Amino acid sequence: MGSINLYRIDPDKKEQCLRDLENRMDTRGEKVLEDYTFTFLLDNSSETRQVAWNWIFNEFEIPEAMTMVSPRAVVLISNSSFDSTYIATFGHSYFLIDKYCEKDFGIKVSDVNCPY
């Protein structure tokens, strides 16, 4: 399993972040659980490359496999009861989100007295 980064979006940068995501990603699905809405967005880049092991496809005379270059996705997490917006990043999408996040969010979370 790859790594997942969780960010809290700075409320002052939220609208710009959402516009940037809208321009770079396509909404692929949405789920609502209680008061939370989870929106899955996938990079709309169509740039692909051959996999490094296409030689085996050639040996069996099968069309070569392609993969996305630097695939990126995010899950936008919002709640109808409060104005906080969170984003979980997958792949290289953290480069897109980092400039919109609250820089001290991780520190605030680590200061919470958690029994686990």
Side-chain angles (χ1 to χ4, degrees):
M1 181 174 160
S3 65
I4 299 171
N5 296 305
L6 181 65
Y7 297 93
R8 181 175 174 179
I9 301 304
D10 183 329
D12 295 332
K13 299 176 182 177
K14 177 182 172 181
E15 293 306 316
Q16 181 60 42
C17 177
L18 296 177
R19 278 193 300 275
D20 195 17
L21 287 174
E22 185 178 294
N23 290 333
R24 295 172 176 254
M25 297 188 159
D26 297 323
T27 300
R28 295 296 182 98
E30 188 171 278
K31 290 187 180 249
V32 177
L33 299 169
E34 297 183 16
D35 291 338
Y36 291 90
T37 301
F38 299 83
T39 306
F40 178 65
L41 297 109
L42 184 63
D43 184 11
N44 58 20
S45 170
S46 59
E47 186 179 355
T48 59
R49 68 171 181 225
Q50 295 178 336
V51 296
W53 42 274
N54 260 330
W55 63 269
I56 195 66
F57 287 82
N58 294 330
E59 289 298 320
F60 287 91
E61 299 177 5
I62 298 172
E64 293 181 339
M66 302 298 285
T67 186
M68 287 178 64
V69 174
S70 301
R72 294 179 287 254
V74 301
V75 173
L76 179 66
I77 306 162
S78 56
N79 184 301
S80 58
S81 301
F82 57 89
D83 195 30
S84 293
T85 302
Y86 299 88
I87 293 182
T89 63
F90 301 86
H92 297 278
S93 62
Y94 61 92
F95 284 115
L96 302 174
I97 303 305
D98 187 62
K99 60 187 167 196
Y100 302 112
C101 73
E102 287 185 1
K103 299 299 181 190
D104 60 349
F105 172 66
I107 295 168
K108 288 179 184 178
V109 170
S110 69
D111 286 342
V112 174
N113 200 358
C114 183
Y116 302 107

